[in-house]
Amino acid sequence: ANTPAPASNPNAVRTNAEELGVLVKLPYETEDIVWKEYPAKKKIVAIMKFSAADANKIVAEAGGTPENTSIATESWFPEELIAQTEMSGDNALKGVSYPATAFYQEPYTVGKITRVEGSDYFILEAFAK
């Protein structure tokens, strides 16, 4: 298998699910994906949209204790999500977070997956130990 060449800009926003799939597991096919790697923080943030059926499966299979959470939006987030925060006026997305167990792959084995309220978008925050 040929390894994709590293992006010239490590802070670049990526939209390739296959590249992300090298770093973390993607249990279902995404309908929309945008992600970013933060090498200095050993962190990946990915925003993924799944079909409604798969979104419900992710939640059903997540286990753990669901927690209400809010995530500050960043300029590279999908427009739909940024628009949602502009309506609420606090620049944060509300959602329910679960352990990201289904997405873990060495070395990214810590994190959470948050389903954005009223949508089939999920925000994955994964950290390398």
Side-chain angles (χ1 to χ4, degrees):
N2 54 353
T3 316
S8 52
N9 173 7
N11 297 321
V13 174
R14 323 252 184 98
T15 54
N16 185 323
E18 283 164 18
E19 278 182 30
L20 181 60
V22 172
L23 301 169
V24 296
K25 285 182 189 155
L26 297 175
Y28 298 99
E29 202 170 311
T30 58
E31 294 189 349
D32 187 18
I33 184 166
V34 54
W35 62 282
K36 205 167 170 181
E37 199 174 352
Y38 298 88
K41 295 180 182 169
K42 293 185 178 172
K43 178 182 181 182
I44 290 172
V45 175
I47 296 155
M48 299 167 282
K49 186 180 190 181
F50 295 97
S51 69
D54 288 346
N56 291 332
K57 282 184 207 161
I58 289 168
V59 167
E61 292 163 8
T65 308
E67 286 179 29
N68 289 325
T69 188
S70 70
I71 293 174
T73 49
E74 298 189 42
S75 57
W76 58 273
F77 281 22
E79 283 176 22
E80 195 180 314
L81 296 185
I82 290 174
Q84 200 172 319
T85 64
E86 283 170 353
M87 287 191 304
S88 67
D90 56 5
N91 292 327
L93 291 164
K94 289 178 179 55
V96 178
S97 62
Y98 305 86
T101 317
F103 296 82
Y104 293 160
Q105 185 168 291
E106 291 290 344
Y108 292 97
T109 54
V110 180
K112 65 181 180 178
I113 181 102
T114 303
R115 184 175 192 171
V116 177
E117 192 175 73
S119 79
D120 296 319
Y121 275 102
F122 285 79
I123 300 175
L124 171 70
E125 294 172 275
F127 298 87
K129 281 191 170 161

